């Protein structure tokens, strides 16, 4: 049997190690990070609170091109029925813990105030690896959005404004 030079053996071992570690790192990332395609709506705000990452996504149910928003029978996530169109905006907050794992058990509440000082207080419901609400943000202007999330014994408070155009 022919002897393989030490240099070639080292190069083959190094290449194998690189392939193994890059594949393992990629698989680990897939388990922790949620792809943007997993999210519902368009990203409109992100923040860090006490080591937790909060990502907010907004969807206007009136803009659904296939009219799923008006059809209760489809079973689709965005299907809220015609009588829900008085609150056509769907907001999701996705919470990631310090280890980049999605938080699936929390109590989350929103308080949304418009330019006319009208306030909506809404408790979020867990869905699609996040916490979602429907709200009325039909009037153009700046909305102040305050969010309180209780995760185990940690209380997260977030406040930001968003302009509806």
């Amino acid at each position: 049997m022919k002897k393989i030079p030490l240099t070639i053996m080292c190069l083959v071992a190094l290449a194998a190690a690189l392939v193994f570690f890059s594949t393992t790192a990629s698989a680990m990332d897939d388990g922790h990070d949620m792809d943007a395609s997993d999210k519902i709506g368009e990203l409109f705000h992100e923040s860090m609170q006490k080591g937790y990452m909060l990502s907010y996504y907004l969807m206007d149910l009136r803009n659904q091109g296939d009219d799923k928003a008006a059809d209760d029978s489809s079973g689709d996530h965005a299907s809220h029925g015609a009588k829900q169109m008085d609150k056509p905006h769907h907001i999701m907050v996705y919470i990631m813990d310090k280890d980049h794992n999605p938080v699936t058990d929390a109590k989350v509440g929103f308080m949304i105030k418009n330019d006319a000082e009208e306030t909506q207080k809404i408790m979020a419901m867990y869905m699609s690896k996040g916490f979602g609400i429907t709200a009325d943000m039909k009037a153009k202007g700046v909305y102040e959005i305050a969010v309180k999330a209780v995760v185990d014994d940690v209380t997260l408070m977030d406040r930001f404004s968003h302009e509806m155009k």
Side-chain angles (χ1 to χ4, degrees):
M1 194 168 182
K2 200 175 191 183
K3 271 190 151 178
I4 300 174
L6 182 61
T7 312
I8 293 175
M9 284 185 7
C10 288
L11 287 175
V12 169
L14 179 62
L18 286 173
V19 168
F20 172 78
F21 288 117
S22 67
T23 305
T24 304
S26 175
M28 288 174 62
D29 283 346
D30 291 344
H32 292 292
D33 245 352
M34 288 179 55
D35 189 335
S37 65
D38 293 342
K39 307 291 196 286
I40 296 167
E42 296 292 321
L43 178 68
F44 75 107
H45 181 74
E46 286 185 305
S47 72
M48 292 292 293
Q49 303 294 327
K50 297 183 180 179
Y52 289 82
M53 186 171 118
L54 290 81
S55 301
Y56 298 87
Y57 286 74
L58 175 67
M59 178 171 52
D60 188 337
L61 299 174
R62 299 171 298 178
N63 294 339
Q64 300 303 304
D66 54 7
D67 294 328
K68 284 184 182 175
D71 179 14
D72 269 356
S73 63
S74 73
D76 186 73
H77 178 83
S79 299
H80 293 284
K83 61 181 158 183
Q84 286 292 327
M85 291 316 274
D86 61 329
K87 295 181 177 181
H89 295 93
H90 188 71
I91 300 176
M92 291 290 296
V93 59
Y94 298 92
I95 305 171
M96 300 282 282
D97 68 14
K98 297 169 187 172
D99 297 321
H100 304 284
N101 296 312
V103 171
T104 59
D105 188 24
K107 290 187 180 184
V108 180
F110 284 75
M111 187 171 74
I112 302 172
K113 189 184 300 186
N114 65 11
D115 287 337
E117 299 293 317
E118 298 167 332
T119 302
Q120 302 172 67
K121 293 180 181 178
I122 309 161
M123 287 302 294
M125 180 172 67
Y126 179 75
M127 59 182 77
S128 302
K129 297 183 182 179
F131 301 87
I133 64 164
T134 55
D136 177 8
M137 295 170 51
K138 293 181 287 207
K140 292 181 181 181
V142 176
Y143 288 82
E144 294 297 322
I145 301 171
V147 177
K148 178 179 180 180
V150 179
V151 181
D152 296 324
D153 60 347
V154 178
T155 300
L156 309 173
M157 301 290 288
D158 195 11
R159 180 179 299 271
F160 60 96
S161 49
H162 178 71
E163 183 176 3
M164 295 298 287
K165 298 178 182 183

